[in-house]
Amino acid sequence: MSEILLLEDDPAIAQTVVFALQREGFALTHCSWLHEARARLTQHEPALAIFDVGLPDGNGLDLCRELRAAGSRLPLLMLSARSEELDRVLGLELGADDYLAKPFSPRELVARVRALLRRAQAPVAAPAPQGFVIEAGGSRIRFQGQVLDLTRRELGLLSRLLAAPQRIHSRETLLDAVWGHEADSGDRTVDTHIKTLRAKLRAVAPELDPIRTHRGLGYSLE
Ligand code: CA
């Protein structure tokens, strides 16, 4: 049975969460205070944790950051009454795996929890080259510890390069793989996106320039 730690100070919300997840067969441990959850986590790591943001003795995002700084890979779902983009982005930046804005339906909560647990139990992929970490089932890439803010196409290109590093990927292959049948885009499209991708990688680590251009052939990752 998967154990879930819930950190939530609102009794009504906590009750909803506990009820919804227990009904699905999960074992719940409920804390209302940040210090309580922190103490619990040092003794025992659950299968997943759900943290509220606003707590009587602090901010759930702080605990999230502390855990990630300590190298914990515990699947984390953040709950917040504030649905502002800032909170969501901040939560994910700090290492939360998913985010649910209040009010949420118990059914959605259960679906998110299941998805996170499935993802956590998936076999760990082979290590990606040179400081890249592929996260959230491939929807997010971290470079030198920083989450890259990529467009869909940039993410597609980088994922492709990461999947077969050192291999030279021709513009046509990349175009096919990332743009598919949207045929009105030409070779220049790939170059343009590689350029913006490079700029984003440089912004993180100016000294590393992992994307190599092979004149007349294409691109590779080193
Ligand atoms: Ca709260």
Side-chain angles (χ1 to χ4, degrees), residues 81-135:
R82 289 166 289 173
S83 58
E84 283 126 35
E85 184 79 354
L86 183 66
D87 256 11
R88 195 179 69 80
V89 171
L90 194 62
L92 297 176
E93 280 287 323
L94 295 177
D97 297 289
D98 203 357
Y99 182 99
L100 206 49
K102 296 174 192 173
F104 50 84
S105 77
R107 193 183 272 191
E108 178 162 21
L109 172 81
V110 169
R112 302 278 188 112
V113 163
R114 286 201 185 287
L116 284 180
L117 287 172
R118 247 195 327 269
R119 208 189 285 163
Q121 282 149 11
V124 178
Q130 256 211 2
F132 287 99
V133 181
I134 301 164
E135 294 178 336

Side-chain angles (χ1 to χ4, degrees), residues 8-10 52-55 102:
E8 168 61 77
D9 62 315
D10 183 314
D52 181 25
V53 173
L55 294 154
K102 296 174 192 173

Side-chain angles (χ1 to χ4, degrees), residues 10 13 18 22 69 72 77 108 123 125 171 179-180 211 213:
D10 183 314
I13 293 171
V18 169
Q22 273 180 349
S72 166
L77 174 67
E108 178 162 21
R171 290 178 175 78
W179 277 264
I211 299 176
T213 307

